[in-house]
Amino acid sequence: MASNSTFRTIRLQRGLSLVELMVALVLGLLVVGAAIGVFLSNRQTYTATESLGRVQENARVAFELMARDLREAGGNPCSNRIPMANVLENPANNWFTNFTDGIRGAEGAFTLDEPANRVAGTDAVEVMSGEGRGVTVASHNPTSAVFHINTATHDMEADDVLLVCDNRQAAIVQMTGPNATNETVVHNEGTGTIGNCTKKLDVPVDCDDNSPGGYEYGDNSQIVKLRAVRWFIGDNPSGGRSLYRSVLRRGAMGAPEEVTDGVENMQITYLLPGAAAYVDANGVGTRWGEVLAARIELQLQGEDRVGLNGEVIGRQLVHVATLRNRNA
């Protein structure tokens, strides 16, 4: 016969009641729900911060690379205030017709080779300058159209468009070939992808003058490759918009290169001497050679919908680049 102590032990070993179990489950669910809420909130914050960081990084890349080109607009290794002889064939139809301007903005289509993926209604800009690296002239024979240079280790090749200058004048020519040792730069007429209309590099240019001679560049004159680059907004393969760049190579504009994505719009205005405000490309008119600075306004957006009301994060950022060759 069981004793009272046995029944007391059995009562003490009873499990949780159904009510107690339900209370414990509810409390557990509340704790898990709170933890999930904190996790989701932190994840949202992280995604928003990462998206904003990506937008800012895209802006830094865009402004840094564009400003680098704009600052060099119209620059050459000799002087910015010397006359220029452009002896390229068909000057009205080649890229370096307006080299002395250094910069040209486009509200509508480009004059030459409009990119197929360009976004309508967005601004664009073309910038031209001499490249930083070049060679030194040892001697020049204008009759045979040959520059003897100081080195055979250079990256200039036939069909490259070059700028040669001294302290009195500059000339734009297309390189028609080196010699076997690569220590000459030849600028004959009638050959090349664009071609030179004359061997003579005098200012002013006379393409009909076939007499021997012409302006002779002395030793220590400089020869550099010419650089032309355009910046514009284009549709990218992912279905969005990106900032694109095209670079002129051997007289032809290269394929567009995607620089950074998430750039929805670009508007550029320009500062003229004595002006109280920046004006658009149409307002500059024919005064591109006088432009002192460019104000770049980019509209950027992130990829994730983590902004207010589920919108993507967007920023409108502005950068001003001074054309240092105009302020020398």
Side-chain angles (χ1 to χ4, degrees):
M1 189 171 178
S3 64
N4 291 335
S5 61
T6 301
F7 287 112
R8 194 162 39 249
T9 301
I10 293 173
R11 285 197 301 269
L12 291 175
Q13 292 178 347
R14 287 186 310 171
L16 295 173
S17 67
L18 181 59
V19 174
E20 291 172 325
L21 181 59
M22 293 180 64
V23 170
L25 288 175
V26 170
L27 292 176
L29 288 174
L30 291 175
V31 172
V32 172
I36 292 175
V38 171
F39 171 77
L40 293 177
S41 177
N42 288 341
R43 182 181 179 183
Q44 183 83 351
T45 301
Y46 172 80
T47 303
T49 302
E50 185 181 37
S51 183
L52 181 58
R54 189 180 301 116
V55 167
Q56 293 173 334
E57 181 63 24
N58 288 346
R60 281 194 293 269
V61 170
F63 286 139
E64 175 62 27
L65 295 179
M66 285 192 68
R68 187 180 303 173
D69 284 336
L70 288 167
R71 285 194 295 267
E72 296 295 329
N76 69 69
C78 299
S79 173
N80 299 315
R81 307 184 187 282
I82 53 177
M84 181 79 64
N86 186 341
V87 301
L88 299 180
E89 290 277 11
N90 300 317
N93 296 315
N94 70 61
W95 283 94
F96 298 105
T97 301
N98 301 305
F99 177 81
T100 52
D101 290 340
I103 184 173
R104 281 292 174 103
E107 294 286 332
F110 286 106
T111 304
L112 296 173
D113 302 334
E114 173 72 5
N117 67 329
R118 169 109 180 266
V119 176
T122 60
D123 287 354
V125 66
E126 295 172 345
V127 183
M128 288 173 281
S129 65
E131 291 192 354
R133 295 180 303 167
V135 296
T136 300
V137 173
S139 64
H140 177 214
N141 186 332
T143 301
S144 58
V146 174
F147 289 101
H148 293 274
I149 56 179
N150 66 333
T151 179
T153 56
H154 57 80
D155 61 350
M156 295 185 297
E157 301 178 16
D159 287 336
D160 280 340
V161 180
L162 308 177
L163 183 146
V164 55
C165 64
D166 58 18
N167 61 349
R168 290 193 294 173
Q169 74 161 60
I172 296 174
V173 299
Q174 186 167 41
M175 180 175 175
T176 58
N179 69 355
T181 61
N182 212 34
E183 292 184 349
T184 65
V185 170
V186 184
H187 57 95
N188 274 316
E189 60 180 304
T191 61
T193 56
I194 300 175
N196 302 312
C197 70
T198 178
K199 296 179 182 179
K200 302 179 75 171
L201 305 182
D202 300 273
V203 177
V205 175
D206 185 355
C207 290
D208 297 323
D209 184 359
N210 297 315
S211 62
Y215 185 82
E216 181 178 347
Y217 284 89
D219 56 352
N220 295 322
S221 299
Q222 299 293 309
I223 302 178
V224 297
K225 290 199 294 186
L226 283 188
R227 172 182 170 83
V229 59
R230 59 169 38 156
W231 292 89
F232 63 95
I233 304 300
D235 294 316
N236 61 37
S238 301
R241 295 180 180 181
S242 296
L243 177 66
Y244 279 84
R245 176 181 69 177
S246 296
V247 181
L248 192 73
R249 294 182 175 89
R250 295 183 177 85
M253 184 58 72
E257 305 166 351
E258 186 178 6
V259 176
T260 186
D261 61 358
V263 185
E264 293 294 301
N265 195 2
M266 176 168 66
Q267 297 296 316
I268 307 176
T269 50
Y270 307 89
L271 182 65
L272 293 169
Y278 286 76
V279 296
D280 62 16
N282 294 330
V284 175
T286 60
R287 301 177 62 189
W288 289 105
E290 303 175 43
V291 171
L292 300 176
R295 182 181 183 272
I296 311 162
E297 183 178 321
L298 297 181
Q299 181 69 45
L300 301 103
Q301 70 175 30
E303 297 178 355
D304 303 303
R305 294 185 174 276
V306 291
L308 294 176
N309 300 319
E311 299 293 332
V312 295
I313 290 179
R315 290 292 184 273
Q316 186 170 320
L317 302 174
V318 176
H319 182 79
V320 174
T322 300
L323 279 63
R324 63 187 183 188
N325 293 299
R326 301 288 166 81
N327 295 281

